[in-house]
């Protein structure tokens, strides 16, 4: 009997790892924070100064090896050369070459359509971390390249020779443009600045990155330099990512018959919005995926990432009937039959913070009905890398709006259980929010989940209200949906589920960094005792 159709008592084999080596690697390297516990919890010097997060142990190891290798490559020179100028020239050539080579990876890892995400099943968030650190290496190498040239030029012609060379030589001017653009990127990208003014930072960052690439291109072309193939590769990869994004935006959201994607924004209690996009063409939804949202009337051309809370397709009869104000009186009022008769809706929950999210919530709440109708665009889906079908026990934690990421998994697993296509026999969803008002964010979808066939056999929901307004608000609707006041005791829940697990166990989390770190620590404490996997969904910037 296959794993996906096995009953609970036939999954005993999968509760244990058959080796102690791999669980030890997971605990001490793959799932380990750099030091004790802190990883995704942001480090804040004050409420206004955020210095970011700490890379995990594995990330630190990989980044350290990469940094050391670049230092070694830069320092492996021919020191037997007696001519100091020749040695400096070799440093100039080595650092310049490495900067261009590293730029290939820098631009690939920044792309939303990075092919390595699907090939390696590594999240965009992880590649974004590597993008930031490789960027710092590229900038330092570019600065070292420029300084090395300046040292030899000054020794040969003096300081006036440097300024004269920059005034008269387009080759040097283009290189200087690239170095200056990169240096400004380095100065405006520290975490406190990036977090405090992210939307402004992003626009400046993209402009400077383009200026740096343009400078490097003309520098290599005018040389001409042997690094030109690398520069062409960067331009091709960057162009592919941009064109792919634009194509999917237009294809999903624009139709000659049906116009542009419509967006319904509903202001919710607890300072959040339920945002539903009615796409012009269908798409393939994957549990745990995310999208990028464009709302021109709110934030012009800016895009923002959000997890997809719900997606469904519904039948659409004759397309023009959707726009008619009265019943058709002749066949001219009807379009000819179309091959595609479905409308795909994608729903998100957007919590009010600053910038675009605050403006969106304020506009919706100021509406007389609390509902806002807009035109917009959706880019995606991206992510959705983790499949939970092979786990007998699935434990999902969510904090605040992080519930949107977990709903798709719960829906998928309940459906799979009812259709006997997954191994899952036990699902526990733990959601922690500040007030009971925030439970309204996903009530329609939660009601749907609770009414699905087979739900009572596999799903248990635990709700934790950290700041209830009154003790009377805390009441459990049923035996399978329990509500509690106070903070969730992550370690207790993980330990309990681990002891009562069926088959292999998966622990997932999407929420604030402090919650994610607690779940990570609890999962690591049991990972060597049985078959337990851990994953977290996050977006650090």
């Amino acid at each position: 009997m296959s794993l996906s159709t096995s009953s609970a008592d036939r999954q005993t084999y999968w509760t244990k790892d058959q080796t102690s080596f791999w669980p030890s690697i997971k605990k001490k390297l793959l799932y380990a924070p750099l030091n004790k516990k802190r990883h995704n919890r942001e480090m804040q010097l004050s409420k206004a100064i955020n210095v970011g997060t700490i890379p995990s142990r594995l990330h630190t190891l990989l980044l350290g090896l990469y940094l050391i290798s670049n230092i070694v490559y830069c320092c492996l020179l021919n020191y037997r050369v007696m001519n100091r100028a020749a040695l400096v020239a070799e440093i100039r050539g080595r650092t310049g070459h490495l900067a261009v080579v590293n730029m290939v990876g820098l631009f690939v890892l920044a792309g939303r359509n990075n092919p390595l995400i699907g090939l390696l099943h590594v999240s965009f968030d992880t590649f974004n971390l590597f993008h930031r650190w490789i960027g710092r290496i590229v900038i330092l190498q570019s600065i070292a390249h420029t300084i090395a040239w300046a040292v030899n030029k000054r020794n040969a012609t003096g300081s006036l020779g440097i300024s004269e060379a920059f005034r008269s030589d387009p080759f040097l001017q283009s290189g200087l443009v690239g170095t200056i653009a990169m240096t400004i990127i380095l100065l405006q990208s520290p975490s406190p600045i990036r977090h405090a003014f992210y939307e402004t930072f992003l626009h400046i960052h993209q402009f400077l990155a383009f200026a740096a690439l343009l400078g490097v291109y003309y520098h290599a072309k005018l040389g001409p330099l042997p690094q030109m193939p690398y520069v062409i590769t960067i331009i091709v990869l960057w162009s592919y990512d941009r064109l792919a994004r634009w194509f999917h935006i237009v294809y999903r959201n624009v139709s000659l018959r049906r116009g542009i994607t419509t967006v319904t924004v509903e202001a919710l209690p607890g300072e959040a919005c339920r945002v539903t996009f009615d796409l012009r063409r269908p798409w393939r939804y994957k549990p745990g995926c995310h999208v990028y949202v464009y709302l021109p009337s709110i934030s012009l051309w800016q895009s923002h990432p959000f997890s997809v809370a719900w997606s469904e397709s519904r039948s659409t009869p004759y397309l023009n009937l959707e726009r008619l104000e009265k019943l058709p009186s002749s066949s001219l009022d009807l379009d000819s039959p179309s091959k595609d008769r479905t409308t795909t809706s994608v729903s998100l929950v957007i919590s009010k913070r600053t910038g675009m999210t605050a403006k969106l919530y304020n506009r919706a709440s100021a509406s007389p009905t609390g509902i806002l109708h807009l035109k917009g665009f959706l880019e995606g889906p991206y992510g959705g890398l983790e499949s939970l079908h092979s786990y007998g026990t699935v434990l999902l934690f969510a904090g605040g709006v992080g519930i949107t990421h977990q709903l798709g998994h719960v829906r998928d697993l309940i459906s799979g259980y009812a259709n006997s296509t997954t191994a899952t026999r036990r699902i526990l969803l733990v959601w922690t929010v500040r007030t009971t008002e925030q439970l309204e964010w996903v009530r329609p979808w939660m009601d749907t989940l609770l009414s699905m066939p087979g739900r009572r056999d596999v799903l248990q929901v635990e709700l934790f209200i950290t700041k209830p307004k009154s003790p009377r608000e805390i009441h459990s609707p049923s035996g399978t949906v329990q509500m509690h006041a106070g903070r969730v005791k992550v370690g207790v829940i993980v330990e309990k589920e681990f002891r009562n697990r069926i088959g292999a166990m998966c622990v997932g989390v999407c929420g604030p960094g402090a919650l994610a770190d607690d779940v990570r620590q609890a999962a690591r404490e049991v990972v060597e005792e049985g078959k337990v996997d851990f994953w977290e969904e996050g977006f650090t910037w």
Side-chain angles (χ1 to χ4, degrees), residues 96 99-100 103 138 142 174-179 182 210-222 225 227-228 230-231 234:
V100 175
M103 282 179 68
V138 168
S142 300
S174 58
L176 184 62
V177 167
T179 301
M182 292 183 188
F210 178 76
L213 179 58
L214 196 65
V216 171
Y217 170 78
Y218 279 105
H219 189 63
K221 181 181 179 179
L222 296 173
L225 299 178
Q227 288 78 24
M228 192 63 179
Y230 293 104
V231 180
I234 295 168

Side-chain angles (χ1 to χ4, degrees), residues 236-515:
V236 170
L237 293 172
W238 181 84
S239 300
Y240 160 76
D241 180 69
R242 291 288 168 171
L243 290 173
R245 287 171 54 184
W246 293 340
F247 170 79
H248 285 106
I249 290 172
V250 173
Y251 177 77
R252 302 290 185 199
N253 299 277
V254 180
S255 169
L256 293 178
R257 288 179 177 271
R258 304 177 60 193
I260 298 175
T261 291
T262 57
V263 186
T264 303
V265 183
E266 180 185 357
L268 301 173
E271 295 193 326
C273 294
R274 187 183 297 125
V275 184
T276 301
F277 289 76
D278 285 325
L279 300 180
R280 302 299 89 173
R281 289 185 177 88
W283 75 337
R284 184 181 176 184
Y285 169 73
K286 296 181 292 184
C289 67
H290 65 273
V291 294
Y292 287 84
V293 170
Y294 297 79
L295 296 173
S297 62
I298 301 294
S299 56
L300 300 178
W301 59 84
Q302 296 176 9
S303 63
H304 299 78
F306 298 98
S307 293
V308 175
W310 203 261
S311 179
E312 57 188 3
S313 298
R314 63 180 184 275
S315 311
T316 304
Y318 293 95
L319 301 182
N320 266 7
L321 284 176
E322 296 180 350
R323 300 194 299 266
L324 291 176
E325 296 181 357
K326 60 181 180 178
L327 291 175
S329 58
S330 70
S331 60
L332 296 178
D333 294 330
L334 301 176
D335 281 334
S336 57
S338 168
K339 294 180 181 178
D340 190 350
R341 285 297 179 202
T342 61
T343 295
T344 300
S345 66
V346 177
S347 297
L348 324 169
V349 175
I350 299 178
S351 178
K352 176 185 176 182
R353 293 188 181 178
T354 59
M356 171 266 190
T357 59
K359 188 174 180 181
L360 181 66
Y361 174 79
N362 292 336
R363 283 271 300 273
S365 59
S367 171
T369 61
I371 297 177
L372 196 62
H373 296 283
L374 306 170
K375 296 291 185 179
F377 305 91
L378 212 59
E379 179 191 340
Y382 295 106
L385 302 176
E386 59 277 343
S387 173
L388 310 184
H389 290 186
S390 63
Y391 297 97
T393 301
V394 176
L395 173 55
L396 300 175
F397 287 88
V401 78
I403 187 63
T404 56
H405 183 82
Q406 311 295 33
L407 288 179
H409 286 300
V410 175
R411 180 187 184 186
D412 180 54
L413 293 175
I414 295 175
S415 177
Y417 171 78
N419 296 322
S420 299
T421 57
T422 69
T424 308
R425 296 296 179 268
R426 187 181 181 93
I427 307 167
L428 175 58
L429 175 63
V430 181
W431 184 22
T432 174
V433 293
R434 290 193 303 273
T435 66
T436 54
E437 289 181 335
Q438 295 176 334
L439 300 177
E440 296 296 325
W441 294 353
V442 298
R443 183 175 294 278
W445 309 316
M446 189 66 75
D447 290 342
T448 300
L449 292 178
L450 297 178
S451 63
M452 291 179 66
R455 188 277 303 178
R456 292 184 179 275
D457 298 334
V458 291
L459 177 63
Q460 177 84 21
V461 179
E462 300 281 345
L463 306 172
F464 288 84
I465 317 300
T466 58
K467 296 180 180 179
K469 296 179 180 179
S470 169
R472 290 176 295 179
E473 292 183 332
I474 308 302
H475 63 277
S476 300
S478 68
T480 55
V481 180
Q482 296 287 309
M483 186 182 296
H484 313 274
R487 296 187 177 277
V488 57
K489 297 180 179 179
V490 173
V492 174
I493 291 178
V494 172
E495 177 70 20
K496 178 183 177 181
E497 288 302 302
F498 177 76
R499 299 305 170 196
N500 298 317
R501 70 191 184 281
I502 298 172
M505 179 176 172
C506 173
V507 181
V509 59
C510 182
L515 175 64

